[in-house]
Amino acid sequence: MSSLRTAAAVVVLAAAPALAQDKILNVSYDIGRELFEALNPVFAKTWKETTGRDVTVDQSHGGSSAQARAILEGLNADVVTFNQETDIDVLVDGGLVDADWRNAFPNGASPYYSLPAFVVREGNPKGIKDWSDLVRDDVQPVFANPRTSGNARYTYLAAYAFALEANGGDEAKANDFVKKLLSNVPVFDTGARASSQTFAERNIGDVLITFEAETAGIVAQYPGLERVTPGTSLFAAFPVALVRENAEKNGTVEVATAYLNWLYTPEAQRVLAAQNFRVTDKDVAAEVAAQFPEVKLLTVDVLGGWAEIKAKHFDEGGILDQVFEN
């Protein structure tokens, strides 16, 4: 009997690594809940058909920057699907993600993208059409805190890029523009989902600024709201990365890497497009082109790229600190 118990124990121990490969934790941004609720079952089906094994993809959602800090403090992420490259770089600095993570997957490790866009009250009573309208005295914009939300950081950067272009590259005028914009915001929530609720449920503010992909869901959920796409906005990459230190410890490198690669497949890209994200697969993008309004998309390169943005805008004492009085 003793030998049988010993043999059983060996079988259980030997099976443990294989079982671990079939469960991963995806730590993601605040408003990605519905997206991954749609994606994960499709991946699980594909994984089962490919390997014969079941997989569970657990999710954690919050402000992108707050999520990065949580991982540094021990949240056991196998992969991250963020909305801000700098938040992955924080994990590189912490030794959890490979330094060349941008080269690990196509398109700079961004399988899909979006842009900051607007939601207004029915009939657009304030006539809000573009970024210049957000600094009017009679307009209260609503978006999350740029210090804690990657979504809101893109709003801030999109406004700054718009102001730079509108003022011939004059940084002083761009600083004044974002300072006025931030001063018009009545309340800063930690994450974008809370800001959506502030606007739609608490009826605070005249215009909500969030990712275009989120605007469609908000309008569908809350009657009496409309979408507005500004003429100019900022390309918002949605970067992904393997949290190698955790994945190696958890024995999940295989399935975690497969999960991120799968996001680039036509199957996943069609799910992403159905959730109103713009996709990188050219054939799928052509299929859904009519779904997305034309917009002039600036990139972070007009602001010097992410390294300069981080040092100039987001480091302590940077422009965001200088213009953010809240």
Side-chain angles (χ1 to χ4, degrees):
M1 183 65 70
S2 174
S3 62
L4 287 174
R5 283 197 296 267
T6 302
V10 170
V11 170
V12 170
L13 289 172
L19 290 173
Q21 289 181 354
D22 297 313
K23 183 174 182 177
I24 60 173
L25 174 60
N26 174 16
V27 174
S28 193
Y29 51 94
D30 187 43
I31 62 172
R33 291 173 180 84
E34 291 80 8
L35 172 63
F36 287 100
E37 285 174 0
L39 284 167
N40 289 343
V42 185
F43 171 72
K45 182 175 181 290
T46 299
W47 183 250
K48 178 73 169 181
E49 292 171 350
T50 303
T51 68
R53 290 157 32 204
D54 294 319
V55 62
T56 300
V57 183
D58 291 331
Q59 291 292 139
S60 172
H61 295 279
S64 185
S65 299
Q67 291 287 74
R69 288 194 298 271
I71 294 170
L72 291 174
E73 293 168 1
L75 182 60
N76 193 25
D78 297 286
V79 300
V80 290
T81 54
F82 281 167
N83 57 25
Q84 191 91 158
E85 292 186 32
T86 52
D87 292 326
I88 298 183
D89 288 330
V90 167
L91 301 181
V92 174
D93 295 340
L96 296 170
V97 169
D98 293 341
D100 65 345
W101 65 268
R102 289 176 177 83
N103 298 319
F105 301 97
N107 303 316
S110 178
Y112 54 102
Y113 66 101
S114 193
L115 54 110
F118 307 158
V119 176
V120 297
R121 310 290 176 191
E122 188 172 18
N124 195 4
K126 295 292 181 74
I128 297 165
K129 297 179 180 178
D130 221 323
W131 296 94
S132 57
D133 294 311
L134 307 187
V135 297
R136 288 166 24 199
D137 290 337
D138 66 329
V139 171
Q140 284 192 324
V142 172
F143 54 93
N145 190 327
R147 292 190 175 120
T148 57
S149 167
N151 185 322
R153 208 169 288 171
Y154 264 112
T155 293
Y156 162 85
L157 291 174
Y160 198 93
F162 169 85
L164 269 184
E165 184 177 62
N167 292 289
D170 190 319
E171 291 191 357
K173 290 183 178 179
N175 290 1
D176 290 342
F177 185 88
V178 293
K179 183 180 180 69
K180 173 60 174 172
L181 171 62
L182 291 165
S183 71
N184 279 357
V185 178
V187 57
F188 286 102
D189 294 296
T190 303
R193 181 53 51 86
S195 289
S196 298
Q197 292 168 340
T198 292
F199 179 76
E201 297 179 9
R202 297 171 60 195
N203 204 34
I204 292 174
D206 302 298
V207 53
L208 172 71
I209 304 96
T210 188
F211 288 127
E212 176 189 52
E214 178 76 353
T215 63
I218 292 169
V219 168
Q221 182 177 357
Y222 298 103
L225 300 178
E226 298 178 3
R227 303 168 67 189
V228 172
T229 301
T232 300
S233 194
L234 189 69
F235 177 92
F238 281 70
V240 302
L242 176 73
V243 186
R244 184 171 296 280
E245 181 169 301
N246 290 346
E248 289 182 347
K249 177 184 65 180
N250 297 336
T252 59
V253 171
E254 177 195 7
V255 64
T257 303
Y259 179 69
L260 297 181
N261 275 318
W262 176 78
L263 294 174
Y264 291 88
T265 66
E267 179 180 49
Q269 295 274 292
R270 289 187 177 94
V271 176
L272 287 158
Q275 296 292 318
N276 299 293
F277 286 90
R278 300 190 183 218
V279 296
T280 56
D281 183 283
K282 291 182 179 179
D283 291 337
V284 178
E287 290 174 14
V288 300
Q291 181 179 329
F292 298 99
E294 289 189 15
V295 57
K296 179 181 179 180
L297 279 182
L298 306 175
T299 72
V300 294
D301 291 340
V302 304
L303 302 174
W306 281 114
E308 182 173 329
I309 287 169
K310 181 178 182 299
K312 191 171 183 177
H313 289 267
F314 298 139
D315 279 357
E316 186 173 353
I319 293 173
L320 179 61
D321 281 352
Q322 296 169 30
V323 300
F324 197 11
E325 299 176 348
N326 209 303

